[in-house]
Amino acid sequence: MEISKSLIEAEFAPRTTYLNTAVNGLLPRRSVRAVTALAEELGEGRAGGPGDFSAVTAARQSFARLAGVDEGRVAVGGSVSAHVALVAASLPPGAEVLAPEGEFTSLVTPFSVRGDLKPRYVPLDGLAEAVRPGTALVAFSAVQSADGRVADLAAVRAAAAAHGARTLLDASQSAGWLPLEAGDWDFTVTAGYKFLLCPRGVSFLTVTEEAQESLPALYAGTVSAERPWQDDTMYGPITELARSARRYDETPAYLPYHAAQKSLALLEEVGIEAVHAHGTALAARFRAGLREYGHEPVPGDSATVAVPGLGGRAPELGRAGILLSGRAGNLRAAFHLYNSSADVDRALDVLVGR
């Protein structure tokens, strides 16, 4: 399935060569309109101004479909670190948490700050082999932020199952271009503002039914009740939490979630398989061009391409209207549904001076 050029032109209008989705995805026009309408209602004191929880529900349902799980497994919130903190709070003192070296801060810091857990870090390509009987949790990103490497998901999943370890997959750099099967993992966390094309303030947590038995509902509020928005759940302690993962919801910010509803619907319309084929083809074109001019990118078939040693070139490229990022010494470009071969060629032209 090819991505409709007319649909992309109707939804996106970048004024730069935008290859920076690994930092922040572009908002579709439909999402901008949704936020604008709600902000105007709020500014004018109209009835719809505070926002509508139905938009949150629609975003939850849409993400559930994209992630291949029932909506009852999905909790919403504002950040990955807050979701990870719930998982960290569920572990007993002394539990070993295994993670890759150089993993993104939000995924590992909630475990380290507890002070009574045992974090252990190993190279990404040795993560599966490092799981052992004493490992309580394996926490890792499907795609590494620093260089776009894709983890061996099947190997890690098998190793964790063999040793009775739970798994926490961060899909922030993958969901939206790499197919996600959230049901394969005890927990997944996903920031919405990258390849899911949502604003900051949108984040998703998925939890298996078994894992829900030990996960504390630390953020429980009105939206966490089995029957929200009732008098007996708006005043005084909630006596019955939601029987689904909704018990782990943070009270959502409506402006971002009104946009998220539209952004996720667009991704469903396009299809993740189509986005995957499109983004990885552009990334392969970029890698081939880099090698032709003597630059060796990090190998792989990720939609994110990293070139070691060239991270300092990002500001120069930015001045030329090409937005990429420098991460851990790498020049990092990320390709998504709104990019084209012309974007690849423009970046190569400036980078190699042709």
Side-chain angles (χ1 to χ4, degrees), residues 50-89:
D52 189 344
F53 197 78
S54 66
V56 181
T57 299
R60 187 198 312 272
Q61 292 170 339
S62 191
F63 178 80
R65 289 189 293 268
L66 291 168
V69 295
D70 184 86
E71 66 175 287
R73 292 268 303 275
V74 180
V76 302
S79 70
V80 160
S81 56
H83 292 318
V84 176
L86 290 178
V87 181

Side-chain angles (χ1 to χ4, degrees), residues 177-240:
W177 74 266
L178 184 68
L180 171 62
E181 295 294 338
D184 291 343
W185 313 95
D186 294 287
F187 311 97
T188 72
V189 292
T190 307
Y193 64 89
K194 299 178 185 293
F195 293 88
L196 291 181
L197 310 178
C198 302
R200 282 184 177 268
V202 173
S203 186
F204 301 97
L205 166 72
T206 70
V207 192
T208 63
E209 291 183 2
E210 180 185 4
Q212 288 181 33
E213 296 175 2
S214 60
L215 196 68
L218 294 181
Y219 310 130
T222 301
V223 297
S224 309
E226 176 62 21
R227 299 183 310 110
W229 315 119
Q230 306 298 313
D231 279 352
D232 61 347
T233 60
M234 293 175 66
Y235 304 100
I238 294 172
T239 58
E240 185 182 13

Side-chain angles (χ1 to χ4, degrees), residues 40-317:
E40 289 177 347
E41 290 173 2
L42 184 59
E44 295 171 3
R46 285 187 269 160
D52 189 344
F53 197 78
S54 66
V56 181
T57 299
R60 187 198 312 272
Q61 292 170 339
S62 191
F63 178 80
R65 289 189 293 268
L66 291 168
V69 295
D70 184 86
E71 66 175 287
R73 292 268 303 275
V74 180
V76 302
S79 70
V80 160
S81 56
H83 292 318
V84 176
L86 290 178
V87 181
S90 73
L91 297 175
E96 178 181 279
V97 179
L98 179 66
E101 295 172 348
E103 183 56 84
F104 194 74
T105 299
S106 296
L107 184 60
V108 294
T109 304
F111 300 107
S112 66
V113 297
R114 256 196 57 170
D116 60 353
L117 300 177
K118 295 179 179 178
R120 183 163 65 97
Y121 304 100
V122 299
L124 177 67
D125 57 7
L127 187 63
E129 292 77 9
V131 183
R132 59 192 184 188
T135 304
L137 179 75
V138 185
F140 69 110
S141 293
V143 174
Q144 288 292 297
S145 171
D147 56 19
R149 286 180 297 159
V150 180
D152 189 339
L153 302 181
V156 175
R157 185 170 62 249
H163 293 288
R166 281 186 167 164
T167 51
L168 167 58
L169 181 77
D170 188 339
S172 298
Q173 292 287 0
S174 58
W177 74 266
L178 184 68
L180 171 62
E181 295 294 338
D184 291 343
W185 313 95
D186 294 287
F187 311 97
T188 72
V189 292
T190 307
Y193 64 89
K194 299 178 185 293
F195 293 88
L196 291 181
L197 310 178
C198 302
R200 282 184 177 268
V202 173
S203 186
F204 301 97
L205 166 72
T206 70
V207 192
T208 63
E209 291 183 2
E210 180 185 4
Q212 288 181 33
E213 296 175 2
S214 60
L215 196 68
L218 294 181
Y219 310 130
T222 301
V223 297
S224 309
E226 176 62 21
R227 299 183 310 110
W229 315 119
Q230 306 298 313
D231 279 352
D232 61 347
T233 60
M234 293 175 66
Y235 304 100
I238 294 172
T239 58
E240 185 182 13
L241 290 173
R243 291 188 286 271
S244 68
R246 189 167 52 77
R247 74 177 68 181
Y248 306 114
D249 281 7
E250 298 174 71
T251 300
Y254 283 137
L255 281 167
Y257 273 91
H258 274 239
Q261 174 188 6
K262 304 299 184 181
S263 293
L264 297 175
L266 173 63
L267 286 172
E268 287 195 88
E269 183 179 343
V270 173
I272 299 303
E273 293 290 350
V275 179
H276 177 269
H278 181 77
T280 54
L282 293 177
R285 182 186 182 101
F286 190 50
R287 288 190 185 91
L290 289 165
R291 293 191 182 100
E292 182 180 348
Y293 288 92
H295 300 293
E296 188 58 39
V298 173
D301 56 1
S302 174
T304 296
V305 180
V307 193
L310 295 185
R313 298 283 303 275
E316 167 197 341
L317 288 161

